[in-house]
Amino acid sequence: MTRFLVSNFGRNKKIEEMKNLEELFEHQLKDLYSAESQLTKALPKMQKSAQDSKLQKAFEKHLKETEGHKERLKEICDSLGIKPTGEECKAMKGLIEEAESFIKEKPDAEVMDAGLIAEAQRVEHYEISGYGTAVRYAKELGHEDIATKLQKTLDEEYKTDDLLTEMAESRLNKKAK
């Protein structure tokens, strides 16, 4: 079975389905790169919309980490001889659209912060899933050094999720009541 991809020039480009785990791994890396690229554009909007100074700082910190994640993925792709671009992460696009839609609703300040945490955690959970899969594929394919780099990113995503949970449970959800 053959799939078609619409190029930037509006022509259909024939591509073959992935044939092995290496090709699937490459697809996953490109998808993660796209996700991180999209997130670097969305996080400043979330930071600007946050009312709580600690939440603003958390978004700022995660933006820096996200830029690092993107660079790490580029290095991984370079080491594998693949171009990290060429995929659009539709899941991240949808998650960001949901967050932007929430921001446009302009809820009360406390509700905004609680909602931004919820939107950010949806993103984190998606990234945790993606990086967890990529780590497993890298190990299966014998790319131990790449698996280690991906695991570092995965650990950072878990830490961000834990921080958001702590902020929500300790203060921000209570303020939104």
Side-chain angles (χ1 to χ4, degrees):
M1 186 168 132
T2 303
R3 296 185 302 153
F4 291 91
L5 176 70
V6 177
S7 73
N8 291 336
F9 303 108
R11 298 184 203 119
N12 286 335
K13 180 182 175 188
K14 187 175 172 181
I15 59 172
E16 300 298 319
E17 286 188 9
M18 290 170 254
K19 295 181 178 76
N20 55 46
L21 189 62
E22 191 76 43
E23 290 175 1
L24 179 58
F25 181 52
E26 178 179 332
H27 170 77
Q28 294 294 320
L29 292 173
K30 289 179 176 188
D31 193 71
L32 286 167
Y33 186 84
S34 171
E36 297 290 17
S37 296
Q38 292 177 56
L39 191 54
T40 60
K41 295 174 185 155
L43 280 168
K45 296 174 192 173
M46 295 174 80
Q47 179 185 2
K48 184 179 177 185
S49 298
Q51 305 299 305
D52 183 83
S53 63
K54 289 182 182 177
L55 182 56
Q56 290 172 345
K57 287 177 185 165
F59 284 139
E60 181 181 359
K61 179 180 182 239
H62 195 57
L63 174 59
K64 289 176 184 164
E65 285 181 343
T66 300
E67 291 166 346
H69 298 165
K70 187 177 167 185
E71 183 58 34
R72 193 176 294 145
L73 284 166
K74 185 178 180 324
E75 290 170 8
I76 289 167
C77 288
D78 287 348
S79 74
L80 293 170
I82 59 177
K83 186 176 161 186
T85 58
E87 296 282 335
E88 179 187 42
C89 181
K90 292 178 183 85
M92 183 61 74
K93 182 178 178 181
L95 290 168
I96 290 170
E97 286 173 0
E98 287 288 324
E100 289 173 347
S101 176
F102 171 73
I103 290 168
K104 286 178 185 172
E105 291 177 19
K106 299 185 188 227
D108 291 340
E110 294 82 10
V111 175
M112 175 67 82
D113 288 342
L116 284 171
I117 287 176
E119 299 297 336
Q121 285 194 292
R122 286 183 183 95
V123 168
E124 290 309 306
H125 296 170
Y126 175 75
E127 289 181 305
I128 288 166
S129 172
Y131 280 104
T133 298
V135 168
R136 285 192 305 278
Y137 289 173
K139 287 179 180 179
E140 184 71 26
L141 293 165
H143 301 303
E144 292 301 323
D145 56 330
I146 291 172
T148 300
K149 289 178 183 180
L150 292 168
Q151 183 65 52
K152 182 176 180 185
T153 301
L154 179 60
D155 293 343
E156 290 169 356
E157 300 294 4
Y158 272 118
K159 285 179 186 173
T160 297
D161 185 53
D162 289 344
L163 173 64
L164 291 168
T165 297
E166 190 278 322
M167 291 176 79
E169 290 177 348
S170 68
R171 315 179 290 110
L172 296 178
N173 287 351
K174 290 175 181 137
K175 284 184 171 183
K177 282 186 177 180

